Amino acid sequence: MFIQNLQYKLHKLNTAQIITLSFAGVIFVGGLILWLPLCTAPGQTTSFSDAMFTATTCVCVTGLVTVVTATHWSLIGKLVILLLIQIGGIGLIALASVIFIYLNKKISMKNRRMIQESYNLEQMSGLVKVVRKVVLCVFAAEGIGAISYGIYFIPRVGLVKGAGQAVFTAVSAFCNAGIDLLGDNSLADYVTNPLLNFTTISLIIASGLGFTVWWDLGKRFKLIFQKKLSFGRFYRTLHLQSKIVLVTTGILLVGGTFLIFLFEYDNPASIGKLTLGQKLMASLFQAVTTRTAGFFTVDQAAFTNGTAMLCLFLMLIGGSPMGTAGGIKTTTLAVLVLSIITNLRGKKDVEVCGRKIRSSYVRSALVVAGMAVSVLFVSLLAFFAVMPDAPFIDVLYELTSAVGTVGLSRGLTSVLNTPAKWIVIFTMYIGRIGPLTLGAAVVSRAQKKSEKVHLAEENIMIG
């Protein structure tokens, strides 16, 4: 009777609620496994809060860690961490769908609707093909990344250890997790290494653009190769989603790189002692990794206040939809900026590239941005209640990184007390499942009620 009631209640859940509960379930199970002594290296002990923190940062592909991954966990623990990162990167719904596909199990209409909504697709047709393409893209990109990393690591630390580091780093980079087996210094020892820098940059950008953009680009390049499309019409034939993502991403990366280079040029604590080319490479890496990757080649606490503020903005924005990146997404930023410009011009419709943005998308952008800022504000208040003496900029950096599932820290993560760890855990969780998904899960019943009563309008003052 209990099982039947449970199945009935689960069947009544909507997609947002299933995604929310599924991620929580995987985090809890993963945390329990990591809590087992066999996952901890000899001479180390793992508290329950550290186990749950690590499981959360893996599934939420954040990268904040309270213990050093390379030395604290056993081989089994590292394999569990790698599996949790992969689950978080591919997405729980897609992963479950893949298992059903390869077991020749039929995917129900409800599960198809879950896939559609979890990937924010316009239509339900061809969903199985979409899931297959997602998984193939993920493994192909990670494989290429592993080979590139292996070229450097294997000759230096041996075949087995080098291959392990290469695979782990490639999966972590493409999934935007920012967790590595290199120690507690991330990629700081390789700040002048072009191969490791540009491999990581490429994986982060590729995953951050989103799968739909890559498929759109691939389709256009194929037409050009077949001489059915000219280079002059390449950009114009792209879907609006791709145009917005590419332009916004380009502006953020170029602008972020230039400003970081400008702010840090003479700062000896960050990039001041590097050559001109190395400064540009380090600046580009920082602009890219703030897009929810979590790796770093320069100590985050060494940056000037200007760079820190810029990084806060980039971390909150994150990557693009239907990718492995977090944040409020580039499309959300673009829609908000376009909406502001539209209102300043006194126009009614939000327009871009000869197309009109639906009003529902504008409202969704406002909800996503508003809830992200609200979660950040509430987390800040809660954090200072349990660690009142923590430096404000470090706390703001930590929690913005958690909300955007970035994983960058100014050194605060390792000194968090237990209540603060749980606040960061909650913040990472909310940041991963998305403010809009959580909001939809909470108010789903209210949304089902149709508004039959239209109230009279009354003016208020704004501004």
Side-chain angles (χ1 to χ4, degrees), residues 21-73:
L21 293 175
S22 297
F23 267 97
V26 173
I27 289 170
F28 184 70
V29 173
L32 290 179
I33 295 174
L34 289 174
W35 196 28
L36 297 174
L38 59 87
C39 289
T40 305
Q44 303 286 344
T45 57
T46 304
S47 66
F48 181 72
S49 58
D50 284 333
M52 287 300 168
F53 193 104
T54 304
T56 305
T57 199
C58 292
V59 177
C60 297
V61 287
T62 303
L64 296 172
V65 290
T66 54
V67 295
V68 179
T69 307
T71 57
H72 182 86
W73 303 103

Side-chain angles (χ1 to χ4, degrees), residues 27-347:
I27 289 170
F28 184 70
V29 173
L32 290 179
I33 295 174
L34 289 174
W35 196 28
L36 297 174
L38 59 87
C39 289
T40 305
Q44 303 286 344
T45 57
T46 304
S47 66
F48 181 72
S49 58
D50 284 333
M52 287 300 168
F53 193 104
T54 304
T56 305
T57 199
C58 292
V59 177
C60 297
V61 287
T62 303
L64 296 172
V65 290
T66 54
V67 295
V68 179
T69 307
T71 57
H72 182 86
W73 303 103
S74 66
L75 176 60
I76 295 176
K78 292 171 183 175
L79 291 175
V80 171
I81 288 172
L82 183 63
L83 177 61
L84 293 176
I85 291 173
Q86 193 72 86
I87 291 174
I90 293 179
L92 197 62
I93 304 301
L95 189 64
S97 302
V98 170
I99 294 173
F100 272 95
I101 291 169
Y102 285 98
L103 289 178
N104 293 319
K105 298 291 184 180
K106 184 178 180 181
I107 300 178
S108 66
M109 185 60 65
K110 182 175 182 179
N111 289 334
R112 289 177 180 271
R113 187 165 57 250
M114 284 200 317
I115 299 171
Q116 179 193 11
E117 294 182 17
S118 63
Y119 281 115
N120 195 27
L121 300 175
E122 292 288 339
Q123 55 188 8
M124 199 176 293
S125 60
L127 293 183
V128 174
K129 184 178 180 181
V130 168
V131 172
R132 280 199 179 105
K133 288 172 68 176
V134 167
V135 176
L136 287 175
C137 286
V138 169
F139 288 151
E142 290 173 352
I144 294 172
I147 292 172
S148 297
Y149 285 125
I151 293 173
Y152 180 85
F153 288 127
I154 291 176
R156 287 163 177 78
V157 297
L159 178 61
V160 176
K161 186 176 180 180
Q165 287 184 346
V167 171
F168 195 101
T169 309
V171 172
S172 184
F174 188 81
C175 292
N176 280 209
I179 302 172
D180 59 76
L181 301 178
L182 306 176
D184 59 354
N185 212 21
S186 190
L187 296 175
D189 294 335
Y190 310 98
V191 63
T192 60
N193 187 300
L195 177 61
L196 296 188
N197 273 259
F198 285 105
T199 298
T200 308
I201 287 171
S202 300
L203 289 172
I204 295 169
I205 292 177
S207 59
L209 288 177
F211 301 113
T212 53
V213 174
W214 280 112
W215 298 336
D216 195 14
L217 291 172
K219 184 177 180 181
R220 299 299 178 270
F221 280 121
K222 183 178 179 180
L223 291 175
I224 291 176
F225 180 76
Q226 296 173 345
K227 297 183 179 180
K228 295 180 180 179
L229 181 68
S230 64
F231 277 105
R233 299 188 67 249
F234 177 83
Y235 179 77
R236 285 184 290 173
T237 59
L238 291 173
H239 293 140
L240 183 60
Q241 164 90 5
S242 301
K243 292 179 181 179
I244 292 176
V245 167
L246 291 173
V247 171
T248 307
T249 300
I251 292 173
L252 291 174
L253 291 182
V254 174
T257 300
F258 173 75
L259 290 175
I260 292 170
F261 178 79
L262 185 67
F263 291 147
E264 302 299 323
Y265 187 87
D266 292 322
N267 182 5
S270 57
I271 66 173
K273 296 180 181 180
L274 303 177
T275 65
L276 178 62
Q278 292 169 351
K279 288 178 181 179
L280 286 170
M281 184 170 65
S283 299
L284 174 61
F285 191 99
Q286 181 64 24
V288 170
T289 197
T290 51
R291 312 294 307 291
T292 79
F295 292 103
F296 64 87
T297 56
V298 178
D299 183 8
Q300 302 300 292
F303 286 129
T304 61
N305 290 333
T307 299
M309 292 302 297
L310 175 63
C311 291
L312 289 173
F313 172 75
L314 293 175
M315 288 193 294
L316 190 61
I317 301 305
S320 303
M322 204 178 167
T324 60
I328 66 172
K329 304 296 190 293
T330 54
T331 48
T332 300
L333 173 66
V335 169
L336 290 176
V337 172
L338 290 169
S339 179
I340 292 172
I341 294 173
T342 297
N343 282 277
L344 290 176
R345 290 179 175 177
K347 299 178 68 175

